[in-house]
Amino acid sequence: RMLKRQMLCRLDIDWLNAAFLAIYESLVPLEEETAKQKQFFMLLEKLVSKEWPEARLYLYGSCANSFGVSKSDIDVCLAIEDAEINKSEVLLKLADILQSDNFQNVQALTRARVPIVKLMEPVSGISCDICLNNVLAVVNTKLLRDYAQIDVRLRQLAFIVKHWAKSRGVNATYQGTLSSYAYVLMCIHFLQQRRPAILPCLQEMGTTYSIIVDDIQCAYFDQVEKLHGFGSRNKETIAQLVWAFFNYWAYRHDYANAVISVRTGSILSKREKDWTRRIGNDRHLICIEDPFEISHDLGRVVDKFSIKVLREEFERAADIMQYDPNPCVTLFEPY
Ligand code: CTP
Ligand code: MG
């Protein structure tokens, strides 16, 4: 109890909170950067519509979900409805078009798990990945963006968690750690669970937005402008939330049995999801349910080695928040 009191005193100190807010502000992209991305996207749209007049182009990922820090790459999805298309052919054709329009470093990665065309825009230096028909990602991008509009503390917390994850080398799915998308879902779930709650569960509310993508019904309440002030009964500051977030993942999460679920705004059991044993490469050592593709565990990339790395990093972060005199520096020290 004494520790807890010490901690609360410390986190009450305004400077700590101000320091976290300053880090957040420094990560937010400038308006001119966002404007450049828009321009770049419009140029792509023009080129694409010449070749595929029926196709649509969407921004997704961090440049569209409001969790993008300055200088992020941009993620674009080319949606072509024709079921007959050959994905590799379309991507090769697209690469051709972009190449002849003076884009640099154009590469078609047709054999990747998610086939994409990669390119760089020479003037602004913007890098971009274009995938094909990944409409579910466009829809979950909208869900994240809608959540971000309800309470600014989500965006603040997620920026700090993403910044921490990148600094500490635990934001690489190819190394068995978690994607940025997974970290944002962890933040949303965490804020749904605070008492009083800081975020509602949009998928449990009356449907105002509904779309069927790849046979999956995606439905939720998207009139988020009506939810401003939802979390205002909860007065927790960003410093307190960062402390509590890491404390949860270091010491309170039940790794053996629990699945976090933004879809239901609650914790489910591994047993009810049938995520209790390893199937193929899915080990379910940390379980994060995708809000729409509910058979998809975003923790499935984590293996028995990287779960240790992850949990040690959560503990390190929690301990720094508890005891370090200058957590805003130590937390983000390169690994
Ligand atoms: N995505 C997904 N399922 C995953 C991983 C990603 O649907 N398992 C989609 C999400 O729409 C996500 C987008 O791909 O927003 C980009 O994922 P990611 O690179 O993890 O997140 P970003 O928000 O782009 O983060 P960063 O700033 O690190 O690029
Ligand atoms: Mg991205």
Side-chain angles (χ1 to χ4, degrees), residues 132-264:
L132 194 58
N133 288 347
N134 189 3
V135 181
L136 217 40
V138 177
V139 177
N140 68 37
T141 292
K142 173 176 158 58
L143 180 73
L144 266 47
R145 184 174 62 236
D146 287 336
Y147 269 114
Q149 287 185 52
I150 300 171
D151 195 296
V152 69
R153 286 172 288 184
L154 169 59
R155 202 167 172 230
Q156 293 166 347
L157 177 66
F159 268 57
I160 285 164
V161 169
K162 274 178 68 175
H163 183 48
W164 162 84
K166 284 183 209 290
S167 310
R168 300 299 302 169
V170 287
N171 181 206
T173 48
Y174 62 91
Q175 289 174 343
T177 55
L178 299 170
S179 65
S180 297
Y181 177 58
Y183 282 114
V184 175
L185 291 173
M186 288 156 80
C187 292
I188 295 174
H189 176 261
F190 171 76
L191 297 180
Q192 286 176 330
Q193 297 278 301
R194 298 313 284 168
R195 290 295 171 265
I198 293 179
L199 290 178
C201 173
L202 295 176
Q203 288 171 276
E204 294 270 288
M205 298 171 63
T207 300
T208 55
Y209 169 83
S210 176
I211 182 174
I212 294 175
V213 181
D214 304 339
D215 296 326
I216 296 173
Q217 167 108 42
C218 306
Y220 66 94
F221 183 81
D222 78 335
Q223 298 178 358
V224 285
E225 63 285 352
K226 296 190 178 147
L227 297 173
H228 277 164
F230 176 91
S232 59
R233 282 206 306 129
N234 183 312
K235 307 284 184 217
E236 287 174 297
T237 63
I238 189 63
Q240 287 170 318
L241 292 170
V242 171
W243 175 85
F245 178 87
F246 286 123
N247 191 263
Y248 174 79
W249 285 101
Y251 301 116
R252 304 172 100 83
H253 181 69
D254 178 1
Y255 286 83
N257 301 299
V259 175
I260 66 154
S261 164
V262 164
R263 170 180 62 103
T264 59

Side-chain angles (χ1 to χ4, degrees), residues 30-161:
L30 295 174
E31 220 159 278
E32 62 182 50
E33 189 182 335
T34 319
K36 271 196 194 130
Q37 289 181 343
K38 285 250 163 63
Q39 250 176 352
F40 173 78
F41 179 74
M42 277 157 62
L43 175 62
L44 279 183
E45 264 185 327
K46 219 170 81 189
L47 292 174
V48 161
S49 69
K50 260 192 228 154
E51 178 68 30
W52 297 281
E54 311 285 272
R56 291 224 39 194
L57 214 55
Y58 299 95
L59 280 173
Y60 74 100
S62 62
C63 56
N65 65 17
S66 70
F67 296 102
V69 304
S70 182
K71 312 214 165 50
S72 301
D73 295 353
I74 72 177
D75 299 305
V76 173
C77 168
L78 172 62
I80 300 181
E81 292 217 5
D82 184 356
E84 301 292 290
I85 55 159
N86 176 318
K87 269 198 171 189
S88 298
E89 257 170 45
V90 171
L91 289 175
L92 288 169
K93 177 90 209 163
L94 178 63
D96 244 18
I97 294 170
L98 296 166
Q99 195 103 55
S100 43
D101 206 84
N102 277 328
F103 283 105
Q104 283 177 1
N105 306 340
V106 180
Q107 274 179 294
L109 307 181
T110 54
R111 274 182 289 184
R113 194 180 55 82
V114 180
I116 53 169
V117 172
K118 276 179 117 45
L119 66 137
M120 221 250 291
E121 209 257 335
V123 187
S124 57
I126 296 176
S127 295
C128 169
D129 291 351
I130 307 176
C131 69
L132 194 58
N133 288 347
N134 189 3
V135 181
L136 217 40
V138 177
V139 177
N140 68 37
T141 292
K142 173 176 158 58
L143 180 73
L144 266 47
R145 184 174 62 236
D146 287 336
Y147 269 114
Q149 287 185 52
I150 300 171
D151 195 296
V152 69
R153 286 172 288 184
L154 169 59
R155 202 167 172 230
Q156 293 166 347
L157 177 66
F159 268 57
I160 285 164
V161 169

Side-chain angles (χ1 to χ4, degrees), residues 309-328:
V309 173
L310 259 181
R311 292 186 63 170
E312 281 170 11
E313 282 299 330
F314 287 135
E315 284 169 30
R316 174 187 177 274
D319 295 348
I320 287 169
M321 288 305 293
Q322 183 86 39
Y323 302 112
D324 196 280
N326 201 357
C328 295

